[in-house]
């Protein structure tokens, strides 16, 4: 899957998917064939971290 390049759009896209369809980041990454470490690094560089209790980046 081609992810958005812009970090704010990526942040919104991933959080929407987590809210609407996936119960965890692992589930999302497995289903969409996304490298979890790369995704977390891209969002961390933009100032966001994943919170598993809330199932979202913030």
């Amino acid at each position: 899957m081609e992810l958005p390049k812009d970090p704010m759009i990526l942040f919104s896209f991933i959080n929407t998917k987590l809210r609407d369809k996936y119960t965890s980041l692992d589930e999302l990454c497995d289903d969409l064939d996304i490298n979890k470490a790369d995704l977390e690094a891209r969002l961390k560089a933009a100032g966001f971290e994943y919170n598993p209790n809330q199932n979202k980046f913030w």
Side-chain angles (χ1 to χ4, degrees):
M1 163 169 258
E2 181 72 27
L3 293 175
K5 303 274 188 244
D6 180 276
M8 293 305 292
I9 295 173
L10 178 61
F11 166 75
S12 178
F13 174 81
I14 294 296
N15 273 346
T16 298
K17 292 284 190 191
L18 288 169
R19 181 192 70 217
D20 294 347
K21 187 171 181 183
Y22 299 101
T23 60
S24 71
L25 184 58
D26 288 327
E27 183 184 354
L28 178 146
C29 290
D30 288 344
D31 190 46
L32 300 179
D33 196 29
I34 295 171
N35 183 297
K36 181 181 172 185
D38 289 345
L39 175 61
E40 288 183 302
R42 285 177 62 187
L43 288 170
K44 186 173 181 100
F48 302 109
E49 289 190 40
Y50 180 67
N51 181 315
N53 295 327
Q54 298 290 320
N55 192 35
K56 67 180 179 179
F57 282 87
W58 54 356

